[in-house]
Amino acid sequence: MPNFMKSDIERPRVARELYEWVQRVHGEFGKTAKGKSALRRRSAPYLKELLEEIWPLANYALLFFPERSDVRFQPVIGNQSYDALLIDESGSTLCYFEITQALHNEAGYQDRLRREHLEQYGHAPLTGPPLRRNADSGFIAETWGECVDHSDAVEITFCQIRAAIEVKATKVYAANTALIIEFQGIHLQQANDQAALDALAKSTLCGLASRFSELALIDEIARFGFRYLIPGGRAT
């Protein structure tokens, strides 16, 4: 498995360099069964931060700053009130980033179980009954996905995004902090579904994120995303 240090993660990079570095590290882990298991279990040092904070940041950078060479993205590991910085060429901070996934509460628990299900059975259902761990064996019963109405799947995704914003909106952040929400966009591939998310963000989600200077909604593999400057904020 690849071995990377905190200093490797926190090195400032331009957008495309950051994206390519994250993809390269992820690809190195994916070359072996041990590495794939580490990805699913977040078991290697800094792998949780890489996948849950820096991966979304890299996708954000690629979508909205792909050719910018005058700014750099700097992940910051620790317990501070932000996960990354946007800095200029002199090293001055332009913006703080708070980064999260639309996987809070039960959705987050189910995501962890799906990754374990993938480890045990080679597939991970996105739909169907909730996964449950056997209290005696510790294993998860094999479960298969079920057909669901497309509109229901879209609504679940919207609710997960909203829940993530509501959780983050209860905390205190530095001025000029942007909120990046990564979500599973597999059910939002149609243009009308993406337009519906855009409309929801403008009518409701930006209001929920009013303590931030910016709200960004990012598909987990950077197929699409939206970026909103919050009125009254000081986004860069």
Side-chain angles (χ1 to χ4, degrees), residues 87-154:
I87 62 176
D88 63 18
E89 293 177 291
S90 71
S92 298
T93 299
L94 301 174
C95 177
Y96 301 90
F97 293 109
E98 173 69 5
I99 305 166
T100 192
Q101 297 175 303
L103 292 171
H104 287 264
N105 304 320
E106 178 65 15
Y109 178 65
Q110 287 298 311
D111 181 67
R112 290 192 296 274
L113 294 185
R114 273 195 296 273
R115 287 189 266 113
E116 292 187 37
H117 192 282
L118 178 62
E119 184 91 350
Q120 292 176 28
Y121 305 111
H123 66 97
L126 279 174
T127 60
L131 299 177
R132 292 289 180 257
R133 187 190 308 279
N134 184 288
D136 295 323
S137 68
F139 283 89
I140 302 165
E142 185 171 16
T143 305
W144 296 89
E146 297 176 350
C147 292
V148 299
D149 188 88
H150 177 73
S151 62
D152 291 340
V154 169

Side-chain angles (χ1 to χ4, degrees), residues 19 43 51 54 66 88 100 122 124 133 135 174-175 188 194-195 199 205 214 219 224 226 236:
Y19 179 81
S43 57
L51 295 173
I54 306 169
D88 63 18
T100 192
R133 187 190 308 279
L188 304 180
Q194 295 176 20
L205 301 182
E214 175 187 334
D219 170 63
F224 66 96
F226 298 100
T236 301

Side-chain angles (χ1 to χ4, degrees), residues 9-112:
I9 295 174
E10 295 187 327
R11 184 164 72 85
R13 295 174 172 89
V14 297
R16 195 166 295 278
E17 181 187 12
L18 175 64
Y19 179 81
E20 291 174 353
W21 179 79
V22 169
Q23 292 293 318
R24 183 169 62 254
V25 172
H26 186 273
E28 287 296 319
F29 274 98
K31 288 181 178 179
T32 66
K34 186 177 180 180
K36 290 178 181 177
S37 179
L39 287 172
R40 294 163 185 162
R41 295 180 179 274
R42 313 293 199 254
S43 57
Y46 303 118
L47 199 48
K48 178 178 174 63
E49 291 86 351
L50 180 78
L51 295 173
E52 298 180 10
E53 297 174 5
I54 306 169
W55 180 286
L57 178 68
N59 287 341
Y60 168 93
L62 182 72
L63 285 170
F64 302 120
F65 294 77
E67 306 303 330
R68 291 280 296 271
S69 60
D70 60 323
V71 294
R72 285 166 173 73
F73 296 84
Q74 182 178 4
V76 182
I77 305 298
N79 296 319
Q80 64 287 326
S81 64
Y82 55 88
D83 299 311
L85 304 171
L86 181 68
I87 62 176
D88 63 18
E89 293 177 291
S90 71
S92 298
T93 299
L94 301 174
C95 177
Y96 301 90
F97 293 109
E98 173 69 5
I99 305 166
T100 192
Q101 297 175 303
L103 292 171
H104 287 264
N105 304 320
E106 178 65 15
Y109 178 65
Q110 287 298 311
D111 181 67
R112 290 192 296 274

